[in-house]
Amino acid sequence: MDLRPLGRSGLSVPPFCFGGNVFGWTADEATSFALLDRLTETGFTFIDTADVYSRWAPGHQGGESEAVIGRWLKARGSRDRMVIATKVGMEMGQGPSGDSRKGLTGPYIERAVEESLRRLQTDRIDLYQSHTDDAGTPLEETLSAYDRLIRAGKVRAIGASNYTAARLREALAVSAREGLPRYESLQPEYSLAERGGYEAELEPLCREEGIGVISYFSLAAGFLTGKYRQEGAAAGRAREARVSRYLNPNGLAFLDLLDEVARDHGATPAQVAIAWLVARPGLTAPIASATSVAQLDEILGGVRLTLDPAAVARLDTASGSSLKG
């Protein structure tokens, strides 16, 4: 498999990253183990998670996904083969002393990383990412904390998620000026259904600065699989709110085009959507999740799919305007 450099970090990753948000949530532990086994059997070794996954689920506290991954890593003895990415910064509730567990202050990052390392049952995190910007904490403080973790061998590289172009540019400037580690990757929302936010300013900046890009919601929360075709079709599903915004005339017309391209290539709509991302210049690896081995196999088929230039042009044109209602 051809590996791709992740920014200037020295890490090389496959052109697909498995989204671990489902582990311990919509995929129970046995299913999660089966998914991870299948992932590695097919040569893919890149997993993305976060400390907050899946705190939103009833009865969950956060850390469930990391804990499942940690038990799998220990059971399979596969830590050295994997590239593990996780994140810090989202609201994790109150700590034992009543303090808020969120943000990107130095002391909080250094506490949070220990919890993630414990759950993951590892001594290092390959890619540690700021899950969301913390405008109330100086960038120097955040990046200095990451510097200490890298020097201690607990983190290999750092990345940013959900940053604006202005704040990412500012962070890169601080790193250069202060001699601190820089964000080597960006994790933005990006797909055929959501293009403008990334392409307008973030894409040019990342390509200019040599920053790796690992896009999330690569299948627009399942919309681009084509399984939701009418208003209300996602009712009761875990991602109902996100899918429903595309169930409008523009979105449904685009699904018809996706069907045509898929038929022309002997593929499925989801595979076409993934293949389009894999071929996008400057994009390192799309992130997608699955709750069954069959779903995962379908996604991996998309990673291996090559779209002809005419199909790419049709998809580019049709998805150029917003698909939201």
Side-chain angles (χ1 to χ4, degrees), residues 18-36 49-50 52-72 289-291:
F18 193 96
N21 59 315
V22 297
F23 299 146
W25 175 37
T26 50
D28 63 20
E29 185 151 325
T31 302
S32 299
F33 274 41
L35 288 164
L36 289 166
T49 186
V52 76
Y53 298 164
S54 48
R55 188 171 181 268
W56 56 82
H60 288 206
Q61 304 299 316
E64 288 81 11
S65 172
E66 288 182 332
V68 169
I69 293 168
R71 289 191 287 272
W72 177 81
S289 58
T291 55

Side-chain angles (χ1 to χ4, degrees), residues 210-228:
I211 294 171
V213 178
I214 49 177
S215 59
Y216 71 87
F217 282 154
S218 299
L219 293 173
F223 168 72
L224 293 171
T225 66
K227 64 183 177 182
Y228 306 110

Side-chain angles (χ1 to χ4, degrees), residues 290-307:
T291 55
S292 71
V293 171
Q295 286 180 359
L296 177 58
D297 284 342
E298 180 182 5
I299 289 168
L300 296 181
V303 178
R304 301 184 182 96
L305 176 66
T306 300
L307 299 175

Side-chain angles (χ1 to χ4, degrees), residues 94-164:
Q94 289 188 338
S97 60
D99 56 318
S100 178
R101 298 162 63 215
K102 66 178 291 187
L104 298 174
T105 65
Y108 179 64
I109 287 173
E110 293 187 70
R111 289 199 305 273
V113 76
E114 297 299 336
E115 295 178 6
S116 287
L117 288 168
R118 175 180 54 79
R119 287 188 292 261
L120 288 164
Q121 301 194 48
T122 184
D123 60 354
R124 68 201 182 280
I125 292 166
D126 298 302
L127 179 65
Y128 201 35
Q129 302 159 96
S130 297
H131 204 158
T132 190
D133 190 14
D134 178 3
T137 299
L139 287 164
E140 291 87 345
E141 179 179 347
T142 298
L143 294 167
S144 292
Y146 287 139
D147 183 48
R148 291 190 291 274
L149 296 180
I150 290 172
R151 290 176 184 274
K154 296 178 180 181
V155 169
R156 295 180 66 189
I158 58 171
S161 177
N162 299 306
Y163 271 50
T164 65

